[in-house]
Amino acid sequence: MKSVLSQTYHDIEYIVIDGSSTDTTVSVIQEYEPLFEGRLKWVSEKDGGIYDAMNKGIQMATGDVVGILNSDDYFTSCDVIERMVAAFEDQSLDAVYGDIHFIHDGEPDKCVRYYSSKPFRPLWLRFGFMPAHPSFYCRRGVYERAGLYKTDYQIGSDYEMMVRLFLVHHINAKYLPMDFVTMRTGGASTRNVKSRLQLIKDDVRGCRENGIYTNSLMISMKFLYKIFEIRSFS
């Protein structure tokens, strides 16, 4: 919330979707709500998981451009939204994306992995590569045309969405050479070997359901690439 409030671009509709948490989430939302001066919407109720929560947020959004900032993540700098919005002055663009970096909890100044989306090309999706999802912003109308996140995926619905948008709907997207988001390590897709195997399974399914050929071996190539990302910043 602090990183959203610190943005130099202020015309932000901030939507918080909470899954009826039993911690202090709601009290924190209520504490910060006045600082948003009417620009904050929120709900706290049972949901069907992270992708159901994302869909709720998209459906509640009224702005021209939609992005998702996951719990525990924050904007790397105060001008992220301003620079992203400036890119959308090009009316031909459907979406923009950039880079993110990872830190260990308690060590905010030490980058342990930098995920650059610069090399991404749509056909790389067959090999498991996708733009950094927390850096992905697209016009709300894109979701209205292409549909929302599929809620029957355990981990890979964001990947399936990228396959659908880039390879089925052929959106016009642009890479922005900037670090959008700081993430802590230990997310759902990288927690352990079991989660990685589930991710491969979901990614293969995401391609095949959209008529794109791939297989488990091809998708596994992305994990070799991630090793070099970590080594570069270790």
Side-chain angles (χ1 to χ4, degrees):
M1 287 186 171
K2 289 179 179 177
S3 77
V4 175
L5 288 167
S6 71
Q7 293 298 300
T8 53
Y9 185 88
H10 299 293
D11 191 11
I12 299 171
E13 178 184 57
Y14 187 52
I15 301 169
V16 180
I17 308 298
D18 174 57
S20 193
S21 350
T22 56
D23 57 14
T24 60
T25 296
V26 170
S27 62
V28 171
I29 294 171
Q30 292 172 333
E31 176 187 352
Y32 279 84
E33 188 171 12
L35 301 178
F36 283 89
E37 300 177 335
R39 296 179 291 125
L40 171 63
K41 299 178 182 178
W42 65 278
V43 295
S44 181
E45 60 188 19
K46 293 289 186 181
D47 57 43
I50 185 172
Y51 298 116
D52 184 34
M54 290 179 181
N55 289 342
K56 284 184 181 182
I58 294 169
Q59 290 171 318
M60 288 175 63
T62 62
D64 298 317
V65 175
V66 177
I68 296 170
L69 187 65
N70 294 313
S71 175
D72 220 27
D73 301 346
Y74 56 90
F75 291 120
T76 300
S77 61
C78 62
D79 62 346
V80 169
I81 301 300
E82 181 178 0
R83 294 170 65 184
M84 177 273 295
V85 168
F88 277 103
E89 291 179 5
D90 179 351
Q91 294 300 311
S92 71
L93 279 183
D94 295 310
V96 301
Y97 57 88
D99 304 340
I100 62 175
H101 80 275
F102 293 81
I103 61 170
H104 290 316
D105 195 20
E107 298 180 306
D109 298 323
K110 182 180 179 181
C111 174
V112 296
R113 177 186 163 210
Y114 193 90
Y115 183 163
S116 176
S117 300
K118 182 177 181 179
F120 171 75
R121 299 294 183 273
L123 286 178
W124 282 34
L125 284 158
R126 295 178 59 210
F127 298 91
F129 294 94
M130 60 183 279
H133 188 249
S135 75
F136 184 80
Y137 285 77
C138 71
R139 298 189 189 275
R140 184 162 50 89
V142 170
Y143 288 117
E144 293 172 352
R145 296 193 303 272
L148 300 174
Y149 289 89
K150 294 185 177 180
T151 57
D152 58 345
Y153 280 68
Q154 289 189 37
I155 301 176
S157 189
D158 49 349
Y159 173 82
E160 188 279 331
M161 176 63 78
M162 295 299 103
V163 172
R164 200 187 329 155
L165 294 183
F166 281 95
L167 298 181
V168 178
H169 290 271
H170 304 288
I171 62 171
N172 180 28
K174 179 181 180 180
Y175 167 71
L176 301 183
M178 56 183 283
D179 183 359
F180 277 69
V181 170
T182 301
M183 299 182 62
R184 292 174 179 84
T185 54
S189 63
T190 59
R191 188 170 295 125
N192 50 43
V193 173
K194 183 179 179 181
S195 66
R196 286 179 171 85
L197 292 174
Q198 182 62 51
L199 183 60
I200 291 172
K201 182 179 179 181
D202 281 2
D203 287 358
V204 171
R205 175 189 167 194
C207 281
R208 291 181 177 174
E209 287 185 346
N210 286 287
I212 307 300
Y213 175 76
T214 192
N215 57 50
S216 298
L217 182 60
M218 292 169 66
I219 292 293
S220 298
M221 295 296 292
K222 66 180 176 181
F223 294 112
L224 293 175
Y225 183 76
K226 288 181 179 181
I227 291 173
F228 290 102
E229 288 179 334
I230 295 169
R231 285 181 176 177
S232 298
F233 288 89
S234 60

